Amino acid sequence: MDITTVKHDLSDVLTEYFDKVQFPKNGLFVVGCSTSAISGDWLGTNSRLDIGKAVVSTLEEFLLPRNLHWAIQGCEHINRALLVERSVAEQHNLEIVSVVPAIQAGGGTQVAAYERMDDPVEVEHITAFGGIDIGGTEIGMHVKYVQIPVRMTNKKVGAANVVCLSSRPKLIGGQRAMYDFTAANKEDYVLGGQQ
């Protein structure tokens, strides 16, 4: 797999994603990435640090200028723990767990991010606003409800399929609930509709 292709494909996906999604400042962006899938192999069978480094450097180009925090999901061998900066874990009151990534347990993208971060730690759970799943790593457990699939025209990084998620607040209430504030919100209400 050509590293230039990986960076180009991911740049196209992220450009489209951030054109479509208004991400909150200082929000958590979760990344699940199988470097094996990018190479055209089955998940966990050919983890590659060079591809992980290409993914991480491309993510930085998009996330840092937007003031977004990344959480890099590890593989099933570390229970899909997430790598974040210690300051992010503390800011979001995330429980730190005792594990560090390796190529065979965490994956190439986590190892690359670990080397790139200032003070990396692993956490077990987060609630991200949205994120990207490269290669079927199942990031949904880390994105808040209500999840919204982001329809993408760019759907591949290398040989890996890409799924992107965003989220929105839940709509709650019954018949009287309103979801936009207008003059109608201030009108008097009388039970039974009579005034």
Side-chain angles (χ1 to χ4, degrees), residues 8-192:
H8 180 266
D9 289 353
L10 183 54
S11 291
D12 285 351
V13 169
L14 292 171
T15 297
E16 183 178 358
Y17 179 88
F18 287 112
D19 283 347
K20 292 180 175 185
V21 176
Q22 285 291 92
F23 219 89
K25 184 178 177 185
N26 294 317
L28 284 170
F29 184 85
V30 64
V31 179
C33 179
S34 168
T35 58
S36 300
I38 291 173
S39 298
D41 297 314
W42 186 252
L43 277 71
T45 61
N46 187 22
S47 295
R48 291 186 41 189
L49 185 56
D50 59 338
I51 291 176
K53 287 180 177 182
V55 168
V56 166
S57 66
T58 305
L59 285 166
E60 275 189 322
E61 293 171 18
F62 281 83
L63 301 181
L64 292 179
R66 291 173 171 83
N67 295 311
L68 301 179
H69 303 295
W70 56 3
I72 309 297
Q73 178 183 275
C75 70
E76 66 182 292
H77 300 290
I78 57 171
N79 298 334
R80 292 190 170 79
L82 301 121
L83 189 70
V84 298
E85 290 282 5
R86 183 178 302 277
S87 60
V88 172
E90 291 169 353
Q91 176 185 350
H92 293 274
N93 198 29
L94 304 174
E95 185 173 350
I96 296 171
V97 294
S98 294
V99 70
V100 293
I103 290 293
Q104 73 278 9
T109 307
Q110 260 211 354
V111 170
Y114 190 90
E115 291 185 313
R116 194 80 165 218
M117 290 180 173
D118 293 327
D119 190 7
V121 295
E122 296 272 8
V123 299
E124 198 169 11
H125 302 287
I126 65 166
T127 305
F129 179 82
I132 183 172
D133 182 331
I134 305 168
T137 62
E138 307 303 333
I139 65 166
M141 68 185 86
H142 300 301
V143 177
K144 72 178 189 169
Y145 298 116
V146 173
Q147 297 172 0
I148 303 169
V150 180
R151 302 223 183 267
M152 306 290 287
T153 55
N154 298 301
K155 297 178 183 179
K156 293 261 190 193
V157 173
N161 292 321
V162 173
V163 175
C164 295
L165 291 174
S166 181
S167 60
R168 66 163 173 77
K170 295 177 185 178
L171 299 175
I172 63 167
Q175 291 178 330
R176 298 181 192 179
M178 298 182 149
Y179 303 104
D180 294 306
F181 196 84
T182 65
N185 294 69
K186 298 185 284 183
E187 292 177 6
D188 289 337
Y189 179 81
V190 177
L191 188 60

